[in-house]
């Protein structure tokens, strides 16, 4: 029983497509080698995968460059070989032309050398300049708005800092006032020099040790003065007191 026909179409599943590519590539390279050896032919095979990776096979009796030259000669599609000098000269001519065009465009944008410019080109140049001016004005307005926003933020921060400094100054002034008030109260509570001197005059021996006799005399002076005043009113000859000796009994 033979195999059925396989419908040849692109495999949508990426994993299945990669597996099929690896298997069939190996088989293709094997068949190419067998054909080259068995039939003594020169074969060049180049394969590029979907990811851009290159695979190649060339017969052992030749090289890939030789096969490509033979192909070009046989098909008549020979690639012209240019020297490096010609390539460099062509690139220099291209760069010079581009530089000249840019220089001419700059002169037109600055309003110089417009004598050879046509009316349509002048209209196009005017439209481009107007678009450029509008872009410059939009950018300028955007920068001004950003600067105004930054200034507002900076002003708000400065105001907050100023409020904090004012609050700190008020607290400092309140603390100084409370300290001065407390110090003034202490000064008012302390005795003044006149009061201190008055107290010293009333108590001349304040702070010193006074003799007992002097203290007794000082304390008895008012009583002695009162006794002198009362004794002046007594009769001149007081009654005689009976004499008695120590041996006389007090009570009979």
């Amino acid at each position: 029983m033979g195999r059925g026909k396989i419908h040849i179409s692109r495999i949508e599943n990426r994993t299945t497509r990669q597996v099929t590519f690896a298997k069939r590539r190996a088989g293709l390279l094997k068949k190419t080698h067998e054909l080259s050896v068995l039939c003594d032919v020169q074969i060049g095979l180049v394969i590029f995968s979907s990811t851009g990776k290159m695979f190649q096979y060339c017969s052992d009796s030749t090289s890939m460059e030789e096969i490509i030259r033979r192909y070009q000669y046989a098909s008549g599609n020979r690639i012209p070989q240019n020297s490096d000098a010609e390539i460099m000269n062509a690139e220099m001519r291209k760069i010079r032309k581009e530089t000249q065009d840019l220089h001419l465009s700059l002169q037109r944008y600055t309003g110089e050398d417009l004598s050879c410019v046509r009316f349509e080109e002048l209209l196009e140049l005017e439209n481009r300049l107007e678009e450029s001016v509008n872009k410059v004005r939009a950018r300028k307005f955007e920068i001004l708005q950003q600067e105004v926003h930054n200034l507002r933020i900076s002003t708000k921060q400065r105001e907050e800092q100023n409020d904090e400094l004012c609050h700190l100054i008020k607290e400092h002034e309140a603390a100084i006032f409370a300290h001065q008030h407390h110090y003034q109260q202490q000064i008012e509570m302390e005795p003044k020099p006149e009061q201190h001197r008055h107290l010293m005059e009333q108590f001349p021996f304040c702070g010193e040790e006074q003799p007992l006799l002097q203290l007794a005399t000082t304390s008895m002076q008012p009583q002695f003065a009162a006794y002198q005043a009362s004794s002046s009113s007594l009769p001149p000859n007081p009654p005689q007191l009976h004499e008695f000796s120590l041996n006389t009994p007090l009570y009979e």
Side-chain angles (χ1 to χ4, degrees):
M1 186 175 181
R3 295 182 180 179
K5 288 186 177 181
I6 300 175
H7 180 67
I8 303 300
S9 63
R10 183 178 183 273
I11 301 174
E12 299 297 334
N13 192 344
R14 182 177 180 181
T15 304
T16 306
R17 186 169 62 247
Q18 291 292 336
V19 173
T20 304
F21 172 74
K23 290 181 179 180
R24 290 183 177 267
R25 184 195 67 212
L28 180 60
L29 293 174
K30 182 180 178 181
K31 292 295 182 180
T32 304
H33 176 68
E34 291 176 355
L35 180 62
S36 175
V37 173
L38 293 174
C39 301
D40 191 17
V41 295
Q42 295 179 352
I43 302 175
L45 176 63
V46 180
I47 303 172
F48 289 97
S49 66
S50 59
T51 58
K53 190 175 181 181
M54 185 184 71
F55 302 92
Q56 66 179 355
Y57 172 81
C58 183
S59 301
D60 297 335
S61 60
T62 184
S63 64
M64 186 64 71
E65 291 80 5
E66 182 65 24
I67 291 176
I68 292 173
R69 281 196 296 268
R70 290 180 64 181
Y71 169 76
Q72 292 174 355
Y73 180 78
S75 62
N77 298 324
R78 302 192 64 179
I79 301 174
Q81 299 291 333
N82 296 327
S83 62
D84 295 337
E86 293 179 357
I87 296 174
M88 291 180 64
N89 290 330
E91 291 291 334
M92 289 179 63
R93 287 193 296 270
K94 182 180 179 181
I95 293 173
R96 285 175 181 174
K97 187 177 183 304
E98 291 178 355
T99 305
Q100 186 178 1
D101 294 339
L102 290 174
H103 184 67
L104 183 61
S105 299
L106 289 175
Q107 287 182 351
R108 290 179 179 179
Y109 278 117
T110 55
E112 300 176 0
D113 194 12
L114 298 177
S115 58
C116 60
V117 181
R118 295 179 300 175
F119 181 75
E120 292 79 5
E121 294 178 354
L122 289 174
L123 289 177
E124 184 179 359
L125 180 61
E126 183 181 4
N127 294 329
R128 290 181 180 178
L129 289 175
E130 287 180 356
E131 291 178 359
S132 301
V133 170
N134 293 331
K135 291 180 181 180
V136 170
R137 287 176 179 173
R139 179 57 182 168
K140 179 182 177 182
F141 183 72
E142 183 180 354
I143 293 174
L144 288 175
Q145 283 185 339
Q146 186 66 31
E147 290 181 354
V148 170
H149 181 67
N150 294 334
L151 287 174
R152 288 178 180 175
I153 294 175
S154 178
T155 304
K156 186 177 180 180
Q157 292 177 355
R158 297 290 178 84
E159 290 177 354
E160 292 177 356
Q161 293 178 359
N162 190 18
D163 294 338
E164 291 179 359
L165 290 175
C166 291
H167 182 67
L168 291 175
I169 291 172
K170 289 180 181 180
E171 290 182 352
H172 185 65
E173 290 178 352
I176 293 175
F177 179 76
H179 180 72
Q180 291 179 352
H181 183 67
H182 180 69
Y183 182 72
Q184 188 68 26
Q185 288 181 351
Q186 289 183 351
I187 292 176
E188 291 177 357
M189 291 176 63
E190 292 180 358
K192 297 181 179 179
E194 294 86 4
Q195 296 178 356
H196 185 71
R197 186 169 57 254
H198 182 67
L199 291 173
M200 290 296 294
E201 291 177 355
Q202 292 181 358
F203 302 97
F205 297 99
C206 181
E208 299 179 1
E209 294 182 357
Q210 299 180 0
L212 296 177
L213 181 60
Q214 189 172 2
L215 289 173
T217 307
T218 305
S219 60
M220 291 177 64
Q221 283 180 359
Q223 296 178 1
F224 185 73
Y227 176 75
Q228 285 182 350
S230 61
S231 62
S232 60
S233 61
L234 293 175
N237 294 322
Q240 296 293 328
L241 298 175
H242 294 283
E243 294 181 358
F244 61 89
S245 62
L246 295 174
N247 295 326
T248 305
L250 295 176
Y251 302 99
E252 293 181 358

